[in-house]
Amino acid sequence: SRRASSGRSRCVIVSYHVTLEKDEDDERLRVLAIDMTHKDTSVTIPPGFLEPGKGYKVEVIAEETTGIKIITEVAFGTGS
């Protein structure tokens, strides 16, 4: 499992939840949600899910053994 040090205590990530969503300004909302174990290192996006010239955001929620959740969100776009 992945470990991070923060002061005296250590956290251990036990799972990830990944959500990929087309930008809300688009007329069609598309969402892909994937649950992953702490051993998973990549995600395969189904063909056709990403469209040229569109904006997306990906959110990753990492859950620790303590139940604490760490959330990261990143916006990106595909080329035309």
Side-chain angles (χ1 to χ4, degrees), residues 35-49:
D35 289 315
M36 304 171 62
T37 71
H38 67 279
K39 295 179 182 181
D40 295 324
T41 59
S42 64
V43 171
T44 300
I45 306 303
F49 186 87

Side-chain angles (χ1 to χ4, degrees), residues 62-80:
E63 186 168 355
E64 299 177 5
T65 53
T66 61
I68 293 174
K69 296 180 181 180
I70 303 163
I71 302 171
T72 303
E73 185 177 290
V74 177
F76 69 95
T78 55
S80 51

Side-chain angles (χ1 to χ4, degrees), residues 2-73:
R2 292 174 177 52
R3 295 173 188 230
S5 178
S6 59
R8 295 186 320 248
S9 63
R10 296 181 77 143
C11 67
V12 177
I13 303 297
V14 294
S15 66
Y16 297 93
H17 181 75
V18 179
T19 304
L20 177 61
E21 182 176 311
K22 189 189 289 187
D23 190 359
E24 294 175 14
D25 294 338
D26 199 304
E27 64 282 354
R28 292 182 304 135
L29 180 64
R30 296 186 74 181
V31 176
L32 175 66
I34 301 168
D35 289 315
M36 304 171 62
T37 71
H38 67 279
K39 295 179 182 181
D40 295 324
T41 59
S42 64
V43 171
T44 300
I45 306 303
F49 186 87
L50 298 175
E51 298 177 27
K54 299 292 182 180
Y56 295 86
K57 63 182 173 183
V58 62
E59 177 183 81
V60 178
I61 301 173
E63 186 168 355
E64 299 177 5
T65 53
T66 61
I68 293 174
K69 296 180 181 180
I70 303 163
I71 302 171
T72 303
E73 185 177 290

